[in-house]
Every structure is written in structure tokens, then in C-alpha cells.
């Protein structure tokens, strides 16, 4: 697309945007009576207008049926709570590219990561090592360290971290592949993010999964920043397992329910797991007998009674993403992010560390602003542009296709231009 700096150009793109009506399905935060340009969906997505009604519906069921809400259909005709999680499966499977039996909404991301590591990190003999990427999200690092130590190993002896390439500070697929091949005889597991939370880089999960399969090494991905952001085909890629959060691009609310993916090839293996009663076979769950019998598919990794109110919010938000479709969302995302990149490249004080190849990024751009970066971030916030700040000098901006507009993106360029103009006039840059 050939971009233009003018407001009229941005407004024209909004008028011809086939997804423009989805913005009306969300509450846009206000500042001084005007809608902000909310470019922080990479941290917390906005509230769907359907969320309140979805929550109210389950509160009414609780009010009217009490405990029988688990088994009886409420007046709304909805499924009883006992199988409520299954009503999220169709949308989830479409978003991550899976069979419905391979996904299950449950718990929180790090809880799920611990559950999955208990099943898929099975060191034996010389194969005890875990390969990951350096500087991944801290929670992932802590979970890996926990399981390594729990098995009686030293983190220094077991954990292999692939560092960014010195030329561009990105982690290249070829470097990860090389490490997999070189360490194949000692690797018990590969675990990493599918999209880097800090740089916004998307990793080639399909290629990495293929390399892992060639060497019979299980591979899993943290999809916190990937789900609802980029198209995924977890089943076809042969990914062994994955987990994610749903409060970013899936707009499920603060601390919203997570989810897991476990490939079908593992469903009949009765893998070791940290079992809980909600993962027990549903048809025999209330027999209360000893001896764990897992439910089929990903459902067998459930542990505790699900949070129905959280699932109600999750389902309401999921339905919007599923309705828009990842193909259409991705197309708009590439244009939005490309426009933001176009507007930012004219500022010498800003370095975009996110790859410029659309195939290697989602909607987030990470900006290094080494001079007066925090002042710029504060100025953006004061002018109604909401991003987030990462110490010591990084601003992350994520134009999200469900509710952001091209005019939102144009505002970013306009406000940054004004910031530098003001500083120049006062001799501060």
C-alpha cells in the first residue's frame, strides 16, 4: 500500500475499511470527553460491549438455579455450566488452527505452563536439556527453572538460551534450528514464545516445529502475544502443545481465562500430568473414585472447577474475533502496522526494533527512544495516545485491527511530530 501523511488519507482508509463496524462493539476509553487512541491491546484489550450482558446472564442463572446451574438449562436456553467450556471450543480452535478436541479454555497462562511442563518435560538419560530463547517473558523463565530444579538438575547445566543476533538484535530462525540440530542428542524439550513480547518479532513456528519433529523433540509455544494477533495453524504445523492468555488481543478482561492446545497425537498416550478432578472423565467424574482417568483430548489437562463468570466473558469476546476471522484481521493489521511504521520512520530519534518484514511481526511495533523517551511516552499519554513503556527506553504501540482506526495511527505521527517541534523550538533536541 502507498501511504500518505495526511489526515484525509487516514480517514479515507477508515471509510473503506470492511472491518470498521467492529469498533462499535467495544468501549473506547475517554480522555477529556474524547476517545483515546488505544494502542495497548498487546497488554490489555478493550471491553466488548457484550461482556456485561454475558456476565449478567450467568449471574441470573446463579440467582435462579443455584447449584442446579451446573446441570439444568437456564431460562436463556444456554448449556448448563457442567459443559460450559465446550461452548468456547469452536471459536478457539478456529483462531489457533486446531481441532476442537485439541483446545480447552482453563486456568491462567503460567498455571497451564506448569501443567504442560509436567507432561512434556520428561528428561531421561542424556536427553535432559531444554532449549529456549534468551530474554523470553520472565514467567516462562521462572517456570522452566522450577521444573529443572524440581527434577534435581542445575539450571546452568540444562537450560540452553538462544541469544539475539548481534547484527539486528533479533533471534533468527536459522540460529534456533542450528542449536536444535547441534543439541538434538541432549534435548528433552523446546519451549519458547511464538511472538516476542518485547521486540514484537514473530518466530517461524512452522519451520521450528518441523525441525523439532525431525529430531523427535517435543516443542511447545507461549502464544500470549500471538493468539488473536497472527494466523496460527498449530495442528498442521505439528506443534506438540501451547498455552496463551486471552486478555490481550482476545479482549477477555483483566486476568482472563487462559487456554491450552495439545496435539491429537498425544491424546491417547495418557501422559503424566498434575491431575485434578475436573480433568477426570466427565461421564464418571461424580463417582468420586480413586485412580485418575483423564477426559479425552485437551480437556484431560483441566484441574479445578472452571470459573464460569470468567468463561462467560471469554466466550463473549472470542465470538467477536471468530466472527471477524483471522484472515481479514491479519490483512487489516498489516496495513495498520505498515502505516504506523511509515509515519514513524521520519523521526531520527526513534529506532523501530520490530522486524520490518510483515511476516516476522504482528501488530506491535517496539520503539527505542534513547533520548527523552520517557518524556515522549508521557507526552503521548497526555495527548490521549495509550501505549506502554518498558524500561529503560522502549515504547510499545500496537494498532489492533478489531477496534483501532487509521486515524488513531495518524494521531500518533501527528503528536510525535508536535513533540519534536516543541522541543526544537525550545532548543531541547
Amino acid at each position: 500500500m502507498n501511504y500518505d501523511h495526511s489526515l484525509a488519507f487516514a480517514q479515507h482508509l477508515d471509510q473503506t475499511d470492511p472491518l470498521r463496524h467492529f469498533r462499535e462493539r467495544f468501549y473506547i476509553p475517554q480522555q477529556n470527553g474524547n476517545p483515546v487512541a488505544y494502542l495497548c491491546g498487546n497488554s490489555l484489550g478493550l471491553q466488548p460491549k457484550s461482556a456485561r450482558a454475558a456476565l449478567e446472564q450467568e449471574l441470573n442463572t446463579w440467582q435462579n438455579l443455584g447449584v442446579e446451574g451446573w446441570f439444568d438449562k437456564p431460562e436463556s436456553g444456554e448449556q448448563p455450566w457442567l459443559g460450559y467450556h465446550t461452548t468456547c471450543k469452536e471459536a478457539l480452535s478456529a483462531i489457533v488452527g486446531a481441532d476442537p478436541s485439541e483446545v480447552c479454555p482453563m486456568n491462567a497462562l503460567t498455571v497451564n505452563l506448569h501443567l504442560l511442563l509436567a507432561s512434556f518435560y520428561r528428561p531421561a538419560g542424556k536427553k535432559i536439556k531444554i532449549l529456549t530463547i534468551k530474554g523470553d517473558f520472565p514467567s516462562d523463565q521462572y517456570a522452566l527453572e522450577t521444573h529443572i530444579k524440581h527434577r534435581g538438575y542445575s539450571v546452568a547445566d540444562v537450560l540452553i538460551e538462544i541469544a539475539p543476533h548481534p547484527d539486528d538484535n533479533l533471534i533468527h530462525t536459522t540460529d534456533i534450528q542450528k542449536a536444535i540440530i547441534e543439541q538434538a542428542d541432549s534435548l528433552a524439550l523446546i519451549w519458547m514464545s511464538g511472538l516476542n513480547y518485547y521486540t514484537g518479532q514473530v518466530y517461524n513456528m512452522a519451520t521450528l516445529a518441523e525441525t523439532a519433529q525431525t529430531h523427535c523433540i517435543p516443542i511447545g509455544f507461549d502464544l500470549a502475544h500471538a493468539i488473536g494477533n497472527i494466523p496460527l495453524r498449530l495442528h498442521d504445523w505439528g506443534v506438540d502443545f501451547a498455552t496463551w492468555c486471552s486478555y490481550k488481543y482476545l479482549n477477555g478482561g483483566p486476568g482472563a481465562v487462559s487456554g491450552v492446545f495439545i496435539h491429537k497425537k498425544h491424546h491417547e498416550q495418557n501422559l503424566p500430568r498434575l491431575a485434578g478432578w475436573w480433568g477426570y472423565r466427565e461421564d464418571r467424574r461424580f463417582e468420586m473414585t480413586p485412580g485418575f482417568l483423564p477426559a479425552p483430548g485437551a480437556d484431560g489437562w483441566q484441574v479445578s472447577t472452571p470459573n464460569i463468570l470468567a468463561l462467560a466473558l471469554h466466550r463473549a469476546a472470542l465470538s467477536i474475533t471468530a466472527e471477524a476471522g483471522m484472515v481479514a484481521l491479519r490483512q487489516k493489521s498489516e496495513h495498520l502496522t505498515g502505516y504506523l511504521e511509515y509515519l514513524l520512520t521520519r523521526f531520527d530519534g526513534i529506532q523501530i526494533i520490530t522486524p520490518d518484514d510483515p511476516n516476522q511481526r504482528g501488530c506491535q511495533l517496539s520503539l527505542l527512544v534513547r533520548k527523552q523517551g520517557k518524556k515522549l511516552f508521557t507526552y503521548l499519554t497526555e495527548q490521549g495516545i495509550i501505549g506502554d513503556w518498558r524500561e529503560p527506553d522502549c515504547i510499545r504501540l500496537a494498532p489492533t485491527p478489531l477496534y483501532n482506526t487509521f486515524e488513531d495511527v495518524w494521531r500518533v505521527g501527528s503528536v510525535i511530530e508536535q513533540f519534536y517541534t516543541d522541543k526544537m523550538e525550545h532548543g531541547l533536541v
Side-chain angles (χ1 to χ4, degrees):
M1 179 180 289
N2 294 318
Y3 295 113
D4 187 290
H5 289 99
S6 69
L7 174 59
F9 174 78
Q11 291 173 335
H12 171 72
L13 292 180
D14 285 328
Q15 291 165 2
T16 57
D17 171 21
L19 298 180
R20 63 188 180 278
H21 60 284
F22 280 98
R23 177 178 170 88
E24 300 169 4
R25 309 271 284 273
F26 293 87
Y27 289 108
I28 310 298
Q30 305 286 304
Q31 182 174 308
N32 299 322
N34 298 309
V36 303
Y38 189 85
L39 276 71
C40 204
N42 58 307
S43 188
L44 178 65
L46 293 182
Q47 182 186 138
K49 292 180 179 178
S50 57
R52 195 176 303 274
L55 193 59
E56 188 71 28
Q57 181 171 290
E58 303 314 321
L59 289 173
N60 287 336
T61 299
W62 181 19
Q63 172 184 321
N64 297 324
L65 295 180
V67 71
E68 295 304 319
W70 289 104
F71 311 104
D72 292 350
K73 280 190 174 183
E75 293 181 1
S76 64
E78 284 288 345
Q79 174 143 352
W81 293 335
L82 191 65
Y84 197 96
H85 70 285
T86 64
T87 64
C88 300
K89 282 176 169 280
E90 184 176 349
L92 262 182
S93 61
I95 291 167
V96 302
D99 185 89
S101 69
E102 295 176 313
V103 298
C104 185
M106 62 187 204
N107 306 320
L109 189 157
T110 307
V111 172
N112 285 336
L113 177 52
H114 281 294
L115 296 174
L116 293 169
L117 288 175
S119 295
F120 287 95
Y121 178 49
R122 293 179 289 164
K126 294 181 179 179
K127 296 179 74 67
I128 66 171
K129 295 186 178 181
I130 300 175
L131 185 144
T132 189
I133 54 175
K134 191 173 183 62
D136 214 345
F137 194 76
S139 205
D140 296 58
Q141 298 177 50
Y142 306 152
L144 293 176
E145 292 172 4
T146 297
H147 284 262
I148 291 168
K149 293 177 181 178
H150 186 71
R151 300 280 188 159
Y153 300 117
S154 162
V155 173
D157 292 338
V158 169
L159 197 61
I160 301 171
E161 295 182 296
I162 309 303
H165 203 274
D167 292 342
D168 54 15
N169 291 315
L170 299 175
I171 298 175
H172 296 187
T173 299
T174 52
D175 290 340
I176 303 173
Q177 286 180 293
K178 181 181 178 182
I180 294 172
I181 294 167
E182 290 178 348
Q183 301 287 338
D185 292 340
S186 64
L187 281 177
L189 179 69
I190 301 163
W191 171 260
M192 56 182 284
S193 292
L195 194 158
N196 190 288
Y197 83 99
Y198 183 76
T199 66
Q201 179 186 3
V202 173
Y203 301 108
N204 193 327
M205 289 176 271
T207 296
L208 295 175
E210 182 179 14
T211 303
Q213 291 165 39
T214 300
H215 296 279
C216 300
I217 304 165
I219 185 169
F221 291 101
D222 177 342
L223 302 175
H225 287 263
I227 191 168
N229 183 3
I230 60 172
L232 300 165
R233 296 194 296 276
L234 299 183
H235 177 88
D236 291 346
W237 293 342
V239 172
D240 291 284
F241 65 104
T243 185
W244 52 81
C245 60
S246 65
Y247 46 80
K248 302 181 190 299
Y249 299 107
L250 292 185
N251 309 296
V257 66
S258 173
V260 298
F261 164 87
I262 293 106
H263 199 283
K264 270 188 173 182
K265 59 190 174 185
H266 300 295
H267 289 186
E268 303 300 324
Q269 294 180 1
N270 196 20
L271 294 172
R273 67 192 80 192
L274 299 178
W277 89 301
W278 213 262
Y280 199 90
R281 281 179 47 175
E282 185 176 327
D283 60 337
R284 296 184 56 187
R285 183 179 296 148
F286 290 90
E287 293 178 8
M288 304 298 194
T289 55
F292 182 72
L293 296 175
D299 289 4
W301 271 264
Q302 295 177 100
V303 175
S304 301
T305 306
N307 184 328
I308 297 300
L309 300 182
L311 280 175
L313 296 174
H314 183 47
R315 187 176 68 172
L318 273 180
S319 66
I320 300 175
T321 299
E323 181 184 341
M326 287 308 303
V327 172
L329 288 171
R330 175 60 172 170
Q331 184 177 35
K332 179 180 176 181
S333 176
E334 289 182 353
H335 293 324
L336 275 172
T337 307
Y339 188 38
L340 180 60
E341 179 184 37
Y342 168 80
L343 293 171
L344 294 176
T345 50
R346 58 190 164 137
F347 302 113
D348 293 336
I350 294 175
Q351 177 190 355
I352 301 174
I353 60 173
T354 308
D356 56 10
D357 177 4
N359 293 316
Q360 294 187 62
R361 69 185 184 199
C363 65
Q364 172 187 319
L365 291 184
S366 297
L367 321 178
L368 288 190
V369 190
R370 292 193 170 93
K371 292 183 178 180
Q372 301 186 334
K374 192 61 180 288
K375 289 183 178 179
L376 173 59
F377 176 74
T378 301
Y379 187 79
L380 287 168
T381 304
E382 290 171 347
Q383 300 303 313
I385 295 171
I386 308 302
D388 74 359
W389 173 257
R390 293 284 167 168
E391 294 291 349
D393 51 14
C394 182
I395 299 172
R396 300 187 304 171
L397 299 175
T400 305
L402 271 176
Y403 49 73
N404 280 129
T405 65
F406 288 91
E407 186 169 345
D408 285 339
V409 173
W410 176 86
R411 283 177 61 187
V412 175
S414 176
V415 169
I416 293 178
E417 182 177 26
Q418 186 61 50
F419 174 82
Y420 282 118
T421 299
D422 289 348
K423 296 299 179 184
M424 288 180 65
E425 289 178 352
H426 292 86
L428 298 176
V429 293

